[in-house]
Amino acid sequence: MSDKSDRGDSPAARLQKLFEGHRLTPTQRRIAHCMVRGAAEVPFLSSVELAELAGVSQPSVTRFAVALGFDGYPALRRHLREVAPAGRPGGPGSDSYNSYQQAVQAEIDNLRHLSAMLADPGPVEEAGRVLAGSVPLPVLGLRAASSQARGFAYFAGKVHPDVRLLDEGGSMLADRIDAAAASGASALLCFALPRHPREVVAALEYARTAGLTVVTVADSAFAPVARHSDLLIPAPVGTGLAFDTACAPMLLGRVLLESMADALPDAQARLEAFDAKAAARSLFVE
């Protein structure tokens, strides 16, 4: 009896009620289905992250929120947070977690730390303006940080006119930094995660001599790249498994992406154009 009641008042059930009575397009139904499956996490996702999770475009998420009667996705997200369950992981029984669960809980703590840091949005907003003003925008990430750099560059390319991914080291790295500077770049974004390659430190030092403002996402404000960065925003990594986990740096990258998009006057137009072209090419399966 209580189990049935709990299910009826679960986050997923609350989301289902939110969607009832609305005529949704196939794409919007896909978003709704994705949100129900990840009901506990959805209130903490940005529109870009929800779009990625559902396999749709970011403008589709915005239109979905409007279809539900909200002014936009931020308003929908605020509503979802109000109806989210109060209970959070790490409560009673956390001492009985196995090693895998402990690693997950530690990563959740990292995300909470990141959330607390973002209470002051100033550094992220400043970074967004700096990145938006650099055309082209080189994005550097080697070894463990290459996936963070590649993910940022992929999405940034949808709103920024010229993003250049630097995810391979070697003697040509300095050449590519020179080429970006010669083409008009004024800043470089770096993702730096442990273990920190010497090449990254050298590349940042070289970038600054080339006149670029260096914005860095690193695991700590005391990382080896700190003294070669003009603006460093830390996001801790998890160390509970054999290989580090980097959920917080990845999320911080998406936050920077959002801030940069806010500073680009034609970001929404570019997203709409991409969405239209993707539909015309049947690029994604609806």
Side-chain angles (χ1 to χ4, degrees):
M1 182 78 163
S2 61
D3 288 344
K4 183 177 179 181
S5 174
D6 289 342
R7 287 195 299 270
D9 195 41
S10 68
R14 294 175 187 176
L15 280 176
Q16 287 281 19
K17 292 178 182 178
L18 177 63
F19 304 145
E20 289 175 0
H22 295 279
R23 296 180 63 87
L24 303 177
T25 67
T27 296
Q28 290 167 351
R29 289 198 298 270
R30 179 172 184 166
I31 297 171
H33 179 62
C34 176
M35 292 176 70
V36 170
R37 284 185 305 174
E41 294 78 23
V42 162
F44 307 98
L45 298 180
S46 70
S47 60
V48 173
E49 290 170 318
L50 178 56
E52 180 183 12
L53 194 63
V56 301
S57 67
Q58 188 273 343
S60 294
V61 172
T62 299
R63 289 192 291 269
F64 170 74
V66 173
L68 294 178
F70 296 92
D71 292 336
Y73 181 76
L76 170 59
R77 185 168 59 179
R78 284 195 297 271
H79 175 76
L80 295 179
R81 289 180 177 179
E82 290 172 1
V83 301
R88 302 285 296 187
S94 60
D95 56 346
S96 62
Y97 288 144
N98 61 41
S99 59
Y100 305 130
Q101 291 176 300
Q102 289 171 7
V104 172
Q105 294 303 319
E107 198 71 334
I108 291 172
D109 288 341
N110 286 341
L111 292 174
R112 287 175 176 157
H113 178 79
L114 175 62
S115 176
M117 183 196 73
L118 291 174
D120 175 12
V124 165
E125 291 174 347
E126 179 185 353
R129 290 190 293 269
V130 169
L131 300 178
S134 181
V135 182
L137 173 62
V139 180
L140 171 65
L142 302 184
R143 293 186 177 266
S146 61
S147 60
Q148 310 298 327
R150 181 172 292 274
F152 181 95
Y154 170 76
F155 289 111
K158 299 182 187 299
V159 295
H160 191 285
D162 189 354
V163 180
R164 303 187 183 184
L165 176 65
L166 310 180
D167 63 347
E168 295 182 0
S171 61
M172 291 186 63
L173 183 55
D175 294 344
R176 297 178 69 188
I177 292 173
D178 278 337
S183 298
S186 58
L188 176 146
L189 173 62
C190 174
F191 288 87
L193 301 178
R195 303 171 65 186
H196 296 276
R198 292 183 183 274
E199 279 185 298
V200 171
V201 176
L204 295 191
E205 184 176 14
Y206 188 82
R208 294 180 81 188
T209 63
L212 301 183
T213 298
V214 173
V215 178
T216 302
V217 172
D219 57 299
S220 166
F222 303 101
V225 295
R227 58 194 175 97
H228 300 295
S229 303
D230 297 289
L231 178 57
L232 185 146
I233 308 176
V237 301
T239 59
L241 301 174
F243 299 100
D244 291 345
T245 51
C247 294
M250 182 195 72
L251 183 51
L252 178 54
R254 296 296 191 270
V255 169
L256 283 173
L257 184 64
E258 188 88 356
S259 177
M260 183 185 75
D262 288 342
L264 289 166
D266 58 348
Q268 187 61 37
R270 286 180 177 276
L271 283 173
E272 293 288 351
F274 173 82
D275 196 33
K277 290 179 181 178
R281 295 164 54 196
S282 298
L283 188 59
F284 302 109
V285 178
E286 295 293 345

